[in-house]
Amino acid sequence: QVFPSQDPLDRADFNAVEYINALFPTEQSLANIDEVVNKIRLKIRRLDDNIRTVVRGQTNVGQDGRQALEEAQKAIQQLFGKIKDIKDKAEKSEQMVKEITRDIKQLDHAKRHLTTSITTLNHLHMLAGGVDSLEAMTRRRQYGEVANLLQGVVNVLEHFNKYMGIPQIRQLSERVKAAQNELGQQILADFEEAFPSQGTKRTGGPSNVLRDACLVANVLDPRIKQEIIKKFIKQHLSEYLVLFQENQDVAWLDKIDRRYAWIKRQLVDYEEKYGRMFPAEWCMTERIAVEFCHVTRAELSKIMRTRAKEIEVKLLLFAIQRTTNFEGLLAKRFSGCTLTDGTVKKPEVPPPSTNPFLEDETGAEADEIVMEKSDMDKPKKPKVPDNPFHGIVSKCFEPHLYVYIESQDKNLGELIDRFVADFKAQGPPKPNVDEGGAVLPSCADLFVYYKKCMVQCSQLSTGEPMIALTTIFQKYLREYAWKILSGNLPKTTSSSGGLTITSLLKEKEGSEVAKFTLEELCLICSILSTAEYCLATTQQLEEKLKEKVDASLMERINLTGEMDTFSVVISNSIQLLVQDLDAACDPALTAMSKMQWQNVEHVGDQSPYVTSVILHIKQNVPIIRDNLASTRKYFTQFCIKFANSFIPKFINHLFKCKPISMVGAEQLLLDTHSLKMVLLDLPSIGSQVVRKAPASYTKIVVKGMTRAEMILKVVMAPHEPPVVFVDNYIKLLADCSTDTFQKILDMKGLKRSEQSSMLDLFRLRLPAPPPGGDSAGSLSLSAPTPEQESSRIRKLEKLIKKRL
């Protein structure tokens, strides 16, 4: 099918029978068969004509193609001939143009060579005349004219670099170099003559001559300029070295102001007398100040090494303060363009921070220290601009900053001792339910002092002293955690030292456990809140220390150990709260296990021991919740730990209730449900605002107490027939432990003989453990074959018959 067609004859699935049936659907339609046949014959004739025409057309196309190809070949031959003619004519035209322009090209070359020759001769004339004038002016010390002339001669001489093979040119170049050397020696001699010793000064002519000589020195070898600067500065500072010798009284740190006062006077004196003699781009005033700083740093280092034992903290801080003020003054006055790479420079200045490590803290203490923190931010603001002179003198104090570090160590030790004494004198914080557990004010004081030390030390040095200060910070963070927090936690009566699982689960039979008082509960919550505040603030302190210290030392700052210490304090505090409430419930659970449950005749309201447990929970939990209002996550942890401790203990006491009658089991089931409801409501018990308990806590309570309910439902189930009882146990408890099953049988009060057969049946009915799973006290069984199963049943029947 070449073209789309609706004719049935053109379809790919044409069926002749269907086509004929479509033409003659009935017998009556056969009457016009002749007409249909004629139409088909006419259509066949037309198709034949079309096919014949197409075939003839294809024959003619072949002949036309050959004729068109021949014509194209002829046209290509004609085109090739025309192109060859054009190429020949172009070559002739090019040859003709070359003959016409040959003379013009020669004239162009001649003009260019002539221009070059004239320019070179002019330069040669200028060079020769300039060298003669230069030598004459040098002898007459006419430095003002020499400065401009020498620069011009040097520039002209550069044009003759490619002609240095010509003897005359080479001779002129050597004369220029000789004149430069002579000028350099002459200028140095003039300066040596003008400034031979301290106090000698020339005015008028000589100073003008020297001013012009400086302009010449700019053109000469840079070493000449450096030599002039070096000698002048050395001569200018010679008086300083004499006045502040190491053995002089004014050389010590307590009179360091006199050093800086002296250089200020000298700089003013220099500006008045010699300010115009040196070019402005030499920055002589800044160079004198920088050299003074280098000399002062060396002299101070020497004298401090000699008299290291005399350095006190106040004296050291005084000297550093005066020195950093002087460096700040230099930064305002000078740009620092003359500083070399060897100069102490602080390329990385920490950006201004609006988030100091105390600012993000929440709680009652945050409002108290806001003003102090804002005041502390102020000294940092002048450090925001880059100071190229920072450390140029004060670097010499860094080796002696151990005096400052030792002082801070002593001060922090005294501060911790004062915190301990204040706590003993003032006692624990007063319980205030409305405000929640207050953070101890001493921790805010400690971190405020830490920030003051950190800012001060970072202004003195950001190197090793910051690492030493960090070590001191770590030491007293641990001491604060031990002496102030852990040391003031109330002691428990069950154990002298720590909080252990055995002490928590130990039964206090026959004795009422001493509970914590309201003040002690508030103290534990306060210590927990304080430890949480310290933990968060210590993390921010670590970040701030890393910002302040040099990048190469950043890895050495790590306060993880101290944060772990505060985490331990938090954990111990929560454990104490859990232990107190847990121990308070112990007598009620002991009373539950000692009740005669087989003698219970009817089910009533909840039992007295449940009322006792609920009473203890309602006494303790609201106090703890209100005091931990600022740290909700730790209150949730308390609830979870209490549930994890109380529920297993409750189940263990359930197992001790034996034997149990059906009514007794129903009463215990009612009590268990009451305890479950109370535990689910534990986080918001006694609160006016009802909050949904956290999902993690609810899951633990539901899982644990549902197990207790299932135990009681198994106990309530009849033990006959045994197979149903065992299957019911496995279904409800899903516990493959034979110990648990044994305890259930004890609770039901079955005899030993009955228990033995029940245990054997239990072992037989145990499902195969899942792959990779292990069940305590269960048999590792694979799926038995029918033969093995029948054999076991026969053995069990024989065993039962023998027992009976």
Side-chain angles (χ1 to χ4, degrees):
Q1 182 179 348
V2 179
F3 298 105
S5 172
Q6 300 296 329
D7 193 337
L9 294 172
D10 291 332
R11 291 174 57 184
D13 57 345
F14 174 74
N15 189 322
V17 175
E18 292 179 358
Y19 184 68
I20 291 172
N21 289 336
L23 290 176
F24 306 106
T26 60
E27 293 182 3
Q28 288 79 9
S29 60
L30 293 174
N32 58 350
I33 190 172
D34 295 332
E35 183 181 348
V36 172
V37 169
N38 290 333
K39 285 182 180 180
I40 292 176
R41 286 176 178 170
L42 178 63
K43 194 170 186 177
I44 292 172
R45 283 198 296 273
R46 288 177 180 172
L47 285 173
D48 288 341
D49 292 341
N50 289 339
I51 292 170
R52 196 178 300 112
T53 304
V54 170
V55 171
R56 289 174 180 172
Q58 289 297 322
T59 305
N60 295 337
V61 165
Q63 293 177 354
D64 294 344
R66 284 193 294 272
Q67 184 177 356
L69 180 62
E70 292 173 358
E71 291 176 356
Q73 289 175 343
K74 290 180 182 179
I76 290 172
Q77 289 176 354
Q78 292 175 1
L79 180 62
F80 182 75
K82 291 180 180 179
I83 291 173
K84 188 174 181 183
D85 292 341
I86 292 171
K87 183 179 179 183
D88 293 340
K89 291 179 181 179
E91 290 176 351
K92 291 179 181 178
S93 300
E94 183 181 3
Q95 189 64 31
M96 189 182 303
V97 170
K98 284 182 179 179
E99 292 176 358
I100 294 172
T101 59
R102 184 183 301 130
D103 297 336
I104 299 174
K105 188 178 295 185
Q106 288 177 352
L107 288 174
D108 285 342
H109 287 309
K111 178 182 177 183
R112 185 163 60 252
H113 294 158
L114 184 60
T115 303
T116 304
S117 301
I118 293 171
T119 304
T120 304
L121 285 173
N122 282 335
H123 287 165
L124 183 60
H125 176 71
M126 291 166 60
L127 181 61
V131 170
D132 292 338
S133 302
L134 185 63
E135 292 173 343
M137 292 177 181
T138 300
R139 287 191 294 272
R140 294 195 295 271
R141 284 183 167 77
Q142 296 177 346
Y143 296 135
E145 291 81 359
V146 167
N148 295 325
L149 179 61
L150 179 59
Q151 184 63 53
V153 169
V154 171
N155 292 339
V156 172
L157 190 60
E158 289 177 357
H159 293 283
F160 289 94
N161 285 337
K162 54 186 176 182
Y163 304 119
M164 284 301 170
I166 302 173
Q168 291 81 358
I169 301 297
R170 188 166 59 251
Q171 184 181 2
L172 284 173
S173 175
E174 290 173 355
R175 287 175 63 188
V176 171
K177 290 180 180 178
Q180 287 178 321
N181 291 335
E182 184 181 351
L183 273 171
Q185 297 301 324
Q186 191 170 297
I187 289 172
L188 288 175
D190 289 345
F191 269 94
E192 186 65 31
E193 182 183 353
F195 303 102
S197 60
Q198 179 67 26
T200 306
K201 53 187 179 180
R202 301 284 186 88
T203 55
S207 65
N208 291 332
V209 170
L210 294 178
R211 181 182 62 202
D212 295 337
C214 291
L215 298 176
V216 176
N218 268 337
V219 187
L220 296 174
D221 190 336
R223 287 177 293 181
I224 302 297
K225 171 185 170 182
Q226 292 170 5
E227 187 69 22
I228 293 171
I229 292 172
K230 181 180 177 182
K231 286 187 175 181
F232 180 81
I233 293 177
K234 183 178 179 181
Q235 184 269 339
H236 214 68
L237 294 179
S238 58
E239 179 187 352
Y240 174 69
L241 293 172
V242 174
L243 288 175
F244 294 91
Q245 281 183 1
E246 188 177 349
N247 57 1
Q248 297 294 323
D249 185 47
V250 293
W252 189 229
L253 299 181
D254 58 345
K255 296 183 175 60
I256 199 169
D257 279 342
R258 297 193 182 183
R259 292 177 182 267
Y260 304 133
W262 181 89
I263 190 60
K264 291 175 187 176
R265 291 195 302 272
Q266 288 298 314
L267 293 179
V268 171
D269 183 62
Y270 164 81
E271 291 285 355
E272 292 177 354
K273 294 181 180 179
Y274 308 109
R276 297 183 180 181
M277 188 170 76
F278 295 99
E281 63 270 16
W282 284 22
C283 304
M284 283 300 292
T285 312
E286 182 177 327
R287 290 180 187 277
I288 293 171
V290 170
E291 183 62 25
F292 165 81
C293 291
H294 291 323
V295 171
T296 301
R297 186 171 69 187
E299 291 294 315
L300 288 174
S301 297
K302 189 196 307 181
I303 194 172
M304 282 193 292
R305 278 197 303 271
T306 307
R307 304 171 63 177
K309 294 183 179 179
E310 301 178 36
I311 301 176
E312 298 176 353
V313 179
K314 290 183 179 179
L315 180 62
L316 183 66
L317 293 180
F318 166 77
I320 293 175
Q321 184 63 42
R322 292 294 189 268
T323 303
T324 50
N325 289 345
F326 176 69
E327 290 171 351
L329 186 65
L330 292 180
K332 291 179 182 178
R333 174 66 177 79
F334 304 117
S335 63
C337 60
T338 64
L339 293 172
T340 60
D341 293 337
T343 306
V344 178
K345 199 171 182 180
K346 298 290 178 184
E348 296 182 6
V349 176
S353 173
T354 57
N355 182 21
F357 70 86
L358 280 173
E359 285 188 358
D360 289 338
E361 287 302 301
T362 58
E365 75 286 354
D367 296 332
E368 299 172 5
I369 58 176
V370 166
M371 291 305 295
E372 295 181 45
K373 290 185 295 185
S374 61
D375 292 338
M376 283 185 189
D377 287 340
K378 293 178 182 176
K380 289 166 49 176
K381 292 180 181 175
K383 287 194 69 178
V384 174
D386 190 8
N387 180 1
F389 295 95
H390 180 68
I392 193 170
V393 179
S394 57
K395 192 75 174 177
C396 67
F397 297 111
E398 195 162 303
H400 303 278
L401 282 176
Y402 69 88
V403 177
Y404 170 76
I405 301 299
E406 290 173 356
S407 170
Q408 296 304 331
D409 188 2
K410 181 182 176 183
N411 292 343
L412 281 168
E414 294 173 353
L415 190 64
I416 294 294
D417 291 341
R418 180 166 64 83
F419 290 160
V420 173
D422 289 348
F423 191 92
K424 288 181 179 177
Q426 299 172 5
K430 303 301 180 186
N432 191 339
V433 178
D434 295 334
E435 296 181 5
V439 174
L440 298 179
S442 57
C443 74
D445 296 339
L446 179 68
F447 282 107
V448 166
Y449 190 83
Y450 270 18
K451 182 170 185 181
K452 178 183 176 183
C453 293
M454 183 184 67
V455 172
Q456 191 175 41
C457 188
S458 65
Q459 291 173 344
L460 306 180
S461 169
T462 56
E464 286 293 337
M466 282 291 284
I467 301 298
L469 185 67
T470 302
T471 305
I472 299 298
F473 284 175
Q474 290 174 296
K475 173 184 174 183
Y476 288 103
L477 283 173
R478 291 192 297 270
E479 286 213 6
Y480 186 83
W482 294 332
K483 292 184 178 180
I484 309 296
L485 301 182
S486 292
N488 287 312
L489 283 174
K491 300 297 185 291
T492 58
T493 57
S494 62
S495 62
S496 58
L499 305 163
T500 61
I501 299 300
T502 55
S503 69
L504 288 176
L505 298 181
K506 186 178 177 184
E507 291 189 35
K508 318 296 189 302
E509 298 200 18
S511 63
E512 181 69 25
V513 178
K515 288 183 60 179
F516 288 141
T517 62
L518 174 62
E519 289 76 13
E520 288 174 328
L521 285 177
C522 291
L523 173 60
I524 296 173
C525 294
S526 181
I527 289 175
L528 193 156
S529 300
T530 304
E532 192 266 344
Y533 170 80
C534 292
L535 176 64
T537 314
T538 301
Q539 184 177 358
Q540 295 179 11
L541 172 63
E542 181 183 44
E543 294 171 1
K544 283 297 169 184
L545 285 169
K546 286 183 177 180
E547 286 180 16
K548 299 288 184 185
V549 79
D550 292 339
S552 59
L553 302 175
M554 195 180 297
E555 295 299 324
R556 293 173 59 185
I557 293 180
N558 186 359
L559 303 184
T560 306
E562 289 62 42
M563 288 187 264
D564 291 343
T565 302
F566 288 117
S567 297
V568 169
V569 174
I570 292 172
S571 179
N572 287 348
S573 301
I574 294 174
Q575 197 65 44
L576 267 180
L577 295 171
V578 171
Q579 179 184 3
D580 178 57
L581 182 55
D582 208 31
C585 297
D586 275 353
L589 295 179
T590 304
M592 174 189 81
S593 63
K594 291 186 176 182
M595 287 179 66
Q596 301 297 320
W597 292 102
Q598 75 273 23
N599 298 329
V600 176
E601 297 178 355
H602 63 276
V603 178
D605 294 333
Q606 62 188 28
S607 301
Y609 74 90
V610 176
T611 307
S612 176
V613 170
I614 295 174
L615 178 63
H616 289 303
I617 289 176
K618 287 185 176 181
Q619 285 176 350
N620 281 30
V621 173
I623 297 172
I624 296 170
R625 181 184 58 241
D626 293 339
N627 279 277
L628 295 181
S630 59
T631 52
R632 292 287 303 176
K633 63 178 180 179
Y634 293 117
F635 175 67
T636 302
Q637 283 187 26
F638 160 77
C639 294
I640 289 173
K641 286 190 176 183
F642 175 70
N644 281 328
S645 173
F646 176 81
I647 294 175
K649 184 183 293 188
F650 174 72
I651 291 175
N652 284 337
H653 280 77
L654 266 184
F655 287 135
K656 294 178 183 179
C657 298
K658 56 188 178 182
I660 304 177
S661 65
M662 177 66 70
V663 179
E666 290 177 359
Q667 180 64 51
L668 274 173
L669 187 61
L670 175 65
D671 295 343
T672 302
H673 182 72
S674 299
L675 283 175
K676 180 180 178 181
M677 292 296 102
V678 170
L679 288 175
L680 286 174
D681 192 42
L682 183 74
S684 59
I685 194 166
S687 173
Q688 296 178 353
V689 180
V690 179
R691 289 187 181 181
K692 186 178 179 181
S696 57
Y697 171 75
T698 303
K699 182 178 179 182
I700 291 170
V701 173
V702 170
K703 181 179 178 182
M705 295 306 288
T706 301
R707 175 176 168 77
E709 291 174 343
M710 291 300 106
I711 290 172
L712 291 171
K713 287 182 180 179
V714 171
V715 172
M716 291 168 62
H719 62 278
E720 293 291 346
V723 174
V724 175
F725 177 76
V726 171
D727 289 344
N728 190 41
Y729 168 84
I730 294 173
K731 178 183 177 182
L732 291 177
L733 281 181
D735 190 341
C736 298
S737 169
T738 53
D739 293 339
T740 306
F741 188 68
Q742 176 78 55
K743 292 176 182 178
I744 296 286
L745 298 179
D746 289 340
M747 293 174 73
K748 288 185 70 66
L750 295 182
K751 298 177 181 179
R752 286 297 172 186
S753 58
E754 294 175 327
Q755 289 187 16
S756 178
S757 59
M758 281 283 192
L759 283 171
D760 291 336
L761 181 62
F762 171 71
R763 293 189 183 98
L764 287 173
R765 304 295 294 180
L766 273 179
D774 59 339
S775 55
S778 66
L779 298 174
S780 178
L781 300 173
S782 58
T785 62
E787 292 79 12
Q788 291 173 332
E789 186 68 31
S790 62
S791 175
R792 285 176 180 174
I793 292 173
R794 283 196 298 270
K795 287 180 182 178
L796 183 61
E797 288 175 349
K798 290 179 182 178
L799 183 64
I800 293 173
K801 287 178 181 178
K802 286 181 181 179
R803 291 283 173 86
L804 294 175

